[in-house]
Amino acid sequence: MCGIAGFYNFQTGKQDQPTATLRRMLTRIKHRGPDQSGVYLTNSVGLGSVRLSIVDLSSGTMPISNFDDSLWIVFNGEIFNHIELRQELESKNHKFKTHSDTEVIVHLYEEYGPEFVHKLNGQFAIAIWDKNKEELFLARDRVGIRPLYYTEVGDSFVFASEIKSMLEFPGFKPKLSPMAVSEYFTFWTSISPGTAFEGIFEVPPGSYMTINKHSKNITSYWELPLYKPGEYKYTKVEEAAKEFERIFSDAVRLRLRADVQVAAYLSGGLDSSVTTSFIKSISPDNLQTFSIGFTEKDYDESSYQSIAADYFKTQHSSVVCGPNDIANNFKEVVWHSEAPLLRTAPTPMSLLAKSVRDQNIKVVITGEGADELLGGYNIFKETKIRRFWAKDPTSKYRPLLLKKLYPYLPQMNNANNNVLKMFFGYKLKETSSPIYSHLLRWNNTSRINNYLTKEYREAIGDYNPINIIEQKFSEKLNGLDSLAKAQWLELNIFMSGYLLSSQGDRMGMANSIEGRYPFLDHRVIEFCMGLHPDLKLNGLNEKYLLKKLMKDRLPDVILNRPKQAYRAPIRSSFVSDNLPAYLKDMLSEKAIVQAGIFNPDHVNQLLNKMKSKNQVSEIDNMAITAILSTQILNDLFINRSIQELNEDELVELDKIILDF
């Protein structure tokens, strides 16, 4: 795992300035690769890498070239089937200098051109410079596990694993996008390829990009497969379970490949227990597992984690997180997330990754993706209940089913019929909408936009992110069953933009930890999308296929435990006498006015409400997190109140290739 950065068409006439610029860009992301670093420079292109060595520890330092040095690559990620691909290339007379997966990629590009990406099983962000074509090639994995951003500064094209790297490029001046802020305050993320900043874009998941003197082109090479009723590949649970076990077992096997120790997260839930079970069946040796617990019992799953660790007999470690831990680390979490946050959940994930790194482990296998692919989220059940309710909107009993979904919401404990109608009845009858499943959630979350200043809301104008999504994807989602529509929205909007970014890649790599996700092997994804919906959400029984498969292979208390969403404290973290001075300052009226993003009166009203002993809503909790994180983001990236790099901090370049 690594961090990459570079530029195209950066001509200064001075050899030292591009080298120094690239070195400083890499220093900003050295947490992604503390082991080695290197650069490749020509008159107009620069490629740089900081490396977290996991495969081929001795000779995999980047940049790496093909045999005749006509192609040069820097790469962030892992290609899990690199051994098989190397054998294929050797049969075609390719000669290799190293044993790294990086070198396999550059030879694949040489043999097959851009379409080589179809052969990769992995998680990756790739940059290749083709000297003969004078063309830069960028590519990103199918579901966006690894990040890759780009922008233009004057005539220069600049790319990097993280936006903060671009802060070191001459003339780069980021600006928050009001439209993107509105998107974050609706979806928890921006609409790809946009980011929180104007003029900064991501290479979309499942896409590659070519840049030369004449053009910049983006090509989509993979999309989530969609099946309409009558087209499902699997309708019988026994047949589906057998095929899933075959594919998933191989996905786990490939992700155990490494020249360093591989550990696992064990949350006490079904998904991480499944991955741990498969790891133990493939590699029975002692497995180290890690989990996060909370001092507040409403968030804590420690009892289940202990049961799972005892059952699998793993060498288990747990870190406990309290509100003060969240407050003390929140600034750093926003710095690494590079986006507004509506949840504090990334902070415990960062602490968990740090605990892994403290034990000198670089790789963990996790269960992300199972909820999205197998109907695990409550939003899927909620949609099913709301559709059932919509057939008889006056029913006194149908909305009562919703009380079972969110026992952790205080306002749901004693909710009567009228409260449920008010809370869940938004656009109840609009079942024909392609985004029906998410209308309620997005409408509720979008109320955070009310905290913006009049000027900021005027800049947003009549831009409505929900309408944009509905118009943009209605044709694609037409004719699908309701679960498939909801899954598509979760997988394409929420998963990469938030879950795999702010809670995944960024928190892991902030601590030099690589996460691996067997459920997000593209073969597993394609299999799950071909399942009949009843094999995923059977009635209101989520992950039905997985539970059938794992019967008698997991403790019943874990297999059949109620779904508990991963959450972290907010109110107790940010409304405290012990709040760090920096966070207090960011929420002060002076800082709010200076930033010009939020209405100070509205923010004060919210703070006073949260300081009272009255009950606060989920929207209140999200709003305070959104306000604070956006204030921090603005301060760090726009005001540039970050520590300036000095010579002592700069990465040592282990490999310098000058090709002038």
Side-chain angles (χ1 to χ4, degrees):
M1 191 55 60
C2 309
I4 62 175
F7 39 74
Y8 176 73
N9 198 33
F10 181 42
Q11 297 173 316
T12 65
K14 296 181 180 179
Q15 177 179 308
D16 59 337
Q17 186 173 349
T19 307
T21 295
L22 195 47
R23 188 182 181 198
R24 295 178 73 85
M25 291 176 71
L26 292 174
T27 300
R28 279 293 181 204
I29 56 172
K30 63 182 178 182
H31 49 273
R32 298 189 70 91
D35 296 334
Q36 297 160 335
S37 63
V39 298
Y40 168 85
L41 284 159
T42 73
N43 284 324
S44 61
V45 72
L47 306 178
S49 165
V50 284
R51 184 182 183 221
L52 181 66
S53 52
I54 291 172
V55 173
D56 188 9
L57 308 185
S58 61
S59 63
T61 306
M62 290 179 272
I64 288 176
S65 66
N66 63 341
F67 198 74
D68 66 3
D69 294 341
S70 62
L71 299 169
W72 287 87
I73 183 174
V74 288
F75 160 60
N76 167 29
E78 301 290 344
I79 305 304
F80 300 117
N81 61 335
H82 69 96
I83 295 174
E84 293 78 8
L85 292 171
R86 177 185 293 266
Q87 293 170 349
E88 176 184 327
L89 290 163
E90 286 175 338
S91 72
K92 295 178 180 290
N93 299 316
H94 284 258
K95 307 296 182 184
F96 291 87
K97 311 169 191 175
T98 75
H99 297 286
S100 70
D101 53 350
T102 307
E103 190 180 8
V104 171
I105 299 171
V106 77
H107 282 267
L108 284 169
Y109 181 87
E110 181 179 30
E111 182 68 30
Y112 299 108
E115 294 303 307
F116 81 91
V117 289
H118 292 286
K119 291 181 171 287
L120 304 181
N121 185 324
Q123 47 196 49
F124 52 84
I126 298 167
I128 297 174
W129 171 244
D130 188 324
K131 287 173 58 176
N132 295 333
K133 290 184 179 180
E134 294 190 333
E135 185 171 86
L136 180 65
F137 172 86
L138 305 177
R140 193 167 174 216
D141 64 70
R142 291 170 178 85
V143 293
I145 296 173
R146 299 302 163 206
L148 185 56
Y149 298 100
Y150 67 91
T151 191
E152 293 183 59
V153 182
D155 294 330
S156 299
F157 178 91
V158 186
F159 68 90
S161 292
E162 297 182 16
I163 295 168
K164 61 180 64 65
S165 179
M166 299 174 182
L167 294 172
E168 299 304 320
F169 193 85
F172 176 73
K173 296 179 180 179
K175 180 182 178 182
L176 284 177
S177 164
M179 272 70 165
V181 167
S182 182
E183 292 169 5
Y184 275 95
F185 292 177
T186 304
F187 310 127
W188 300 20
T189 183
S190 56
I191 301 174
S192 184
T195 68
F197 302 93
E198 292 184 359
I200 302 176
F201 305 95
E202 68 170 5
V203 176
S207 299
Y208 62 77
M209 188 176 187
T210 54
I211 305 98
N212 55 44
K213 293 178 181 178
H214 309 291
S215 65
K216 294 183 289 292
N217 295 304
I218 294 179
T219 301
S220 174
Y221 69 85
W222 186 88
E223 289 188 356
L224 187 73
L226 296 172
Y227 297 88
K228 295 181 179 180
E231 299 176 346
Y232 307 119
K233 292 191 172 183
Y234 296 93
T235 58
K236 297 180 180 180
V237 67
E238 294 81 8
E239 179 187 9
K242 183 178 180 180
E243 182 63 6
F244 176 84
E245 177 152 22
R246 183 188 69 81
I247 298 172
F248 190 73
S249 180
D250 193 59
V252 173
R253 179 185 65 83
L254 290 179
R255 281 155 184 79
L256 287 170
R257 285 179 170 175
D259 294 332
V260 296
Q261 183 180 353
V262 178
Y265 285 161
L266 188 58
S267 70
L270 177 61
D271 309 336
S272 64
S273 297
V274 170
T275 56
T276 301
S277 174
F278 274 78
I279 292 169
K280 292 288 286 186
S281 66
I282 295 167
S283 180
D285 296 338
N286 192 28
L287 172 68
Q288 280 194 256
T289 54
F290 295 84
S291 65
I292 185 85
F294 292 93
T295 58
E296 296 187 14
K297 65 178 183 179
D298 288 346
Y299 307 92
D300 191 56
E301 299 180 75
S302 297
S303 60
Y304 292 105
Q305 294 160 4
S306 297
I307 291 170
D310 289 344
Y311 181 82
F312 291 117
K313 295 179 173 56
T314 64
Q315 184 180 335
H316 190 70
S317 301
S318 180
V319 59
V320 179
C321 176
N324 288 342
D325 298 308
I326 292 173
N328 291 333
N329 289 278
F330 195 65
K331 176 184 176 182
E332 183 180 358
V333 164
V334 175
W335 168 245
H336 285 290
S337 296
E338 303 183 325
L341 298 174
L342 277 66
R343 290 292 195 199
T344 55
T347 315
M349 295 305 298
S350 178
L351 297 175
L352 178 59
K354 182 181 184 300
S355 74
V356 174
R357 187 63 186 183
D358 286 345
Q359 296 198 32
N360 296 314
I361 293 174
K362 297 180 179 181
V363 181
V364 289
I365 289 180
T366 84
E368 270 83 0
D371 281 316
E372 290 83 356
L373 293 169
L374 292 164
Y377 286 135
N378 278 333
I379 196 170
F380 301 139
K381 298 181 187 179
E382 178 188 300
T383 303
K384 201 165 192 175
I385 293 172
R386 276 177 27 97
R387 285 183 176 275
F388 176 61
W389 178 17
K391 293 177 181 179
D392 185 5
T394 62
S395 172
K396 296 181 181 180
Y397 304 105
R398 295 188 180 197
L400 295 177
L401 291 168
L402 292 159
K403 293 185 67 171
K404 297 181 178 181
L405 300 186
Y406 305 103
Y408 51 84
L409 297 181
Q411 59 268 42
M412 294 296 293
N413 291 336
N414 299 306
N416 59 32
N417 193 275
N418 289 331
V419 171
L420 290 170
K421 285 184 177 181
M422 182 177 66
F423 198 79
F424 290 103
Y426 177 75
K427 293 191 175 182
L428 179 67
K429 299 179 184 179
E430 295 190 14
T431 55
S432 61
S433 169
I435 60 172
Y436 180 78
S437 58
H438 287 63
L439 281 174
L440 175 62
R441 174 198 285 183
W442 290 344
N443 177 69
N444 286 341
T445 307
S446 68
R447 286 154 51 190
I448 300 172
N449 286 284
N450 294 330
Y451 289 94
L452 297 170
T453 61
K454 178 182 177 182
E455 293 75 18
Y456 224 76
R457 284 187 279 112
E458 287 176 349
I460 295 170
D462 59 0
Y463 177 74
N464 187 319
I466 299 175
N467 291 345
I468 296 296
I469 290 292
E470 187 161 25
Q471 295 165 10
K472 187 174 182 180
F473 301 119
S474 60
E475 185 175 345
K476 180 181 289 292
L477 300 178
N478 185 44
L480 301 179
D481 68 77
S482 59
L483 179 59
K485 292 176 184 177
Q487 286 183 282
W488 191 94
L489 294 169
E490 283 293 302
L491 285 158
N492 281 277
I493 296 176
F494 180 79
M495 187 176 74
S496 175
Y498 171 75
L499 186 70
L500 294 177
S501 177
S502 295
Q503 278 189 205
D505 173 89
R506 300 314 185 80
M507 295 307 103
M509 294 309 295
N511 296 281
S512 307
I513 292 296
E514 172 186 292
R516 295 182 174 184
Y517 315 101
F519 281 105
L520 295 178
D521 185 303
H522 68 277
R523 299 168 301 168
V524 176
I525 295 173
E526 290 163 359
F527 167 81
C528 289
M529 294 309 293
L531 292 170
H532 189 283
D534 286 348
L535 296 181
K536 293 178 272 191
L537 184 60
N538 192 285
L540 295 180
N541 186 8
E542 78 276 4
K543 291 184 273 200
Y544 179 73
L545 175 68
L546 206 54
K547 290 177 179 177
K548 285 289 185 182
L549 175 66
M550 301 307 294
K551 184 175 173 55
D552 300 325
R553 295 163 68 173
L554 293 178
D556 285 343
V557 69
I558 288 177
L559 188 68
N560 298 309
R561 63 171 291 199
K563 174 68 177 175
Q564 180 171 339
Y566 168 64
R567 300 159 63 246
I570 294 177
R571 184 182 188 178
S572 57
S573 299
F574 298 147
V575 182
S576 165
D577 293 335
N578 299 321
L579 194 66
Y582 178 80
L583 300 191
K584 284 184 181 179
D585 180 58
M586 287 294 99
L587 289 174
S588 69
E589 186 168 343
K590 179 182 177 181
I592 296 291
V593 171
Q594 285 180 342
I597 301 171
F598 299 102
N599 183 310
D601 292 334
H602 293 172
V603 174
N604 282 333
Q605 289 171 12
L606 175 62
L607 286 171
N608 289 334
K609 180 180 180 180
M610 299 197 79
K611 289 174 183 176
S612 73
K613 294 182 180 180
N614 297 328
Q615 190 177 94
V616 298
S617 69
E618 283 295 291
I619 299 301
D620 293 332
N621 277 317
M622 285 195 287
I624 193 64
T625 311
I627 292 165
L628 182 54
S629 63
T630 307
Q631 285 285 107
I632 295 171
L633 189 71
N634 183 73
D635 187 55
L636 295 178
F637 284 85
I638 311 305
N639 296 342
R640 303 289 285 268
S641 64
I642 52 174
Q643 182 179 347
E644 292 297 321
L645 299 176
N646 57 54
E647 288 299 317
D648 294 336
E649 292 180 276
L650 298 181
V651 296
E652 293 295 327
L653 296 177
D654 302 291
K655 189 174 187 179
I656 303 175
I657 308 295
L658 301 177
D659 191 4
F660 293 103

